[in-house]
Every structure is written in C-alpha cells, then in structure tokens.
Amino acid sequence: MNLLIMGAPGSGKGTFSSRLKDNYSLAHISTGDIFRKNISENTALGQEAKSYMDKGLLVPDDLVNRLVLDTLENLPEGVNGYLLDGYPRTLEQAKAFDEATKGTANEVDQILFMDVPHDVLKKRILGRRTCPKCGEIYNIYFKPTAVENVCDNCGSALSARADDNEESLKTRLGEYTRMTQPVIDYYGEQDKVAAINADNDFETIWAQITEALGK
Ligand code: AMP
C-alpha cells in the first residue's frame, strides 16, 4: 500500500504518520525531516534547502523530486509500501512523481487529506513547544506544562521549532493554499483522496483513517 499524507502545517501529518508506519509496516518518508537531518549534518543538500526553509519557502521542485525518487529506490527490506509525508507539495511535483511511478510498484494508491481550519492550525503551530532534552512535545494552548516553559518530565527549558514563528507561518500557510491545495484537487480528480476531519481527538481521527484505508 502506497500512501500520501497531505495537509497544512500543523494538521497532524507527523503524529499520524508515526502510527500509520507502525500499524501498516510502511516506510515513512518525510521530506521535511530529511531536509532537517541534512541541515543538522551540514551536507550540501542541507545548505541548499536551509536558505528556503528559513524563510518558510518551498525548496525547488527538481531537488525534492530527485530526493524522493532516490529514497524510493532504496526502501528498506520487508516494508508493505511507503507513506510519503510532505510530498508532493506542488502540482509540478505531483505530475513529475506520477510520471516517474505510473505502472510501477511505486504508484500511489491513496491520499489521506488531513483537513483542519486555518485558525486552529495557527494555535497548534504557534503554541508548539518541544523539550530539547527528552523530546516531549507540548502546546501552550492545548497541552500546557505545569510551570510555564519548563518540561514536566525533566525540568528543562522548552524551545520552539525555528520555523514555527508568526512570520514564517503566514508564508507557509500562504504557500500551502497557493501551491499544495491544487495537488489535493488533482488527486481528487483521480478519485484517490480520503478527506479526514482532523480537528478532532486522536482516536476519532485514527478511526476515520483506518476506515478510509479499509475500503
Ligand atoms: P515540513 O516539515 O513538511 O513542514 O517541511 C518543512 C520545510 O521543508 C518546508 O517549509 C519547505 O521549506 C521544505 N519542504 C519539505 N517538503 C517539501 C516539498 N515537497 N517541496 C518543497 N519544499 C519542501
């Protein structure tokens, strides 16, 4: 089973990818995570991607297309397919990806569209805080710590992701509406999109996802 998980920043793609990957034995490929890893290791790819990411802009299509196709060539043994998270993000990426995979084992089967109103996304993203020491994720609106900005688990000071600020978020949501929404429409025309009402609690969202995949 080959899946795409799509949705605006903060729509829960990362959270549900983790459960999907384990439950369906899929290779989870997050283009954002791959770029962040390359940035932290200061590779040539990381240096190129960073200049765009810091501004909330999309990395150029040909760079991302090559990265994803290379990654699919080298999937780990024993997986039941892939779960692409954060790709394709533009119509050009979607068309290039379809052309490269059509009729092969890597053709996409279904798209999960995580649908959340933009005002909820803003709170989720601008409120997001992570503990740099133990990795626990909080939210000042939805999951606050007992003491402001201090991790409940280990007492460390919390931090926010570099691009989770108001200015970058405005650009990212704008890019999403302009560039990524058309991708969902494109796959909708192929009858491959399952819309998930993702402004819900975890189990309600998960039930919708398993139902969509069981069809
Ligand atoms: P994410 O973690 O998915 O929110 O991605 C973080 C950033 O990585 C985005 O704001 C883009 O700058 C870059 N990025 C990730 N995936 C793509 C993609 N498919 N196309 C272009 N840029 C991407």
Side-chain angles (χ1 to χ4, degrees), residues 7-189:
S11 60
K13 300 191 297 288
T15 308
F16 286 93
S17 289
S18 176
R19 172 79 82 98
L20 278 160
K21 172 190 90 156
D22 293 341
N23 222 70
Y24 294 93
S25 298
L26 302 173
H28 176 211
I29 304 164
S30 155
T31 43
D33 284 352
I34 296 174
F35 287 135
R36 278 185 287 278
K37 183 162 183 281
N38 276 272
I39 290 172
S40 73
E41 292 168 356
N42 204 21
T43 66
L45 175 70
Q47 285 173 10
E48 189 165 359
K50 188 174 183 338
S51 57
Y52 299 94
M53 286 174 75
D54 279 352
K55 298 189 198 100
L57 294 172
L58 293 179
V59 174
D61 289 335
D62 56 340
L63 193 73
V64 194
N65 290 338
R66 263 186 289 130
L67 172 78
V68 170
L69 292 174
D70 281 355
T71 309
L72 289 182
E73 292 283 299
N74 298 297
L75 286 186
E77 297 270 314
V79 292
N80 283 332
Y82 62 73
L83 171 67
L84 265 170
D85 166 5
Y87 178 90
R89 270 242 226 324
T90 68
L91 208 47
E92 284 68 27
Q93 288 178 16
K95 287 181 177 168
F97 184 65
D98 275 8
E99 202 171 296
T101 56
K102 209 168 187 62
T104 75
N106 284 336
E107 189 169 339
V108 64
D109 297 309
Q110 188 147 30
I111 291 86
L112 296 172
F113 166 41
M114 308 297 283
D115 196 7
V116 181
H118 280 203
D119 57 325
V120 178
L121 294 174
K122 280 187 191 158
K123 281 191 162 177
R124 281 193 189 174
I125 292 192
L126 297 177
R128 186 153 67 181
R129 299 287 182 278
T130 313
C131 175
K133 196 162 171 216
C134 73
E136 189 69 26
I137 299 171
Y138 298 94
N139 188 293
I140 60 170
Y141 303 108
F142 304 119
K143 189 188 169 190
T145 47
V147 179
E148 194 179 339
N149 221 33
V150 175
C151 179
D152 289 346
N153 282 349
C154 70
S156 302
L158 304 181
S159 57
R161 215 173 91 173
D163 56 355
D164 280 351
N165 59 72
E166 196 136 14
E167 197 180 334
S168 167
L169 176 62
K170 206 169 152 215
T171 313
R172 282 154 71 205
L173 284 177
E175 289 278 87
Y176 173 79
T177 306
R178 196 167 61 88
M179 308 294 276
T180 310
Q181 189 63 48
V183 179
I184 295 163
D185 300 340
Y186 166 80
Y187 283 118
E189 284 161 20

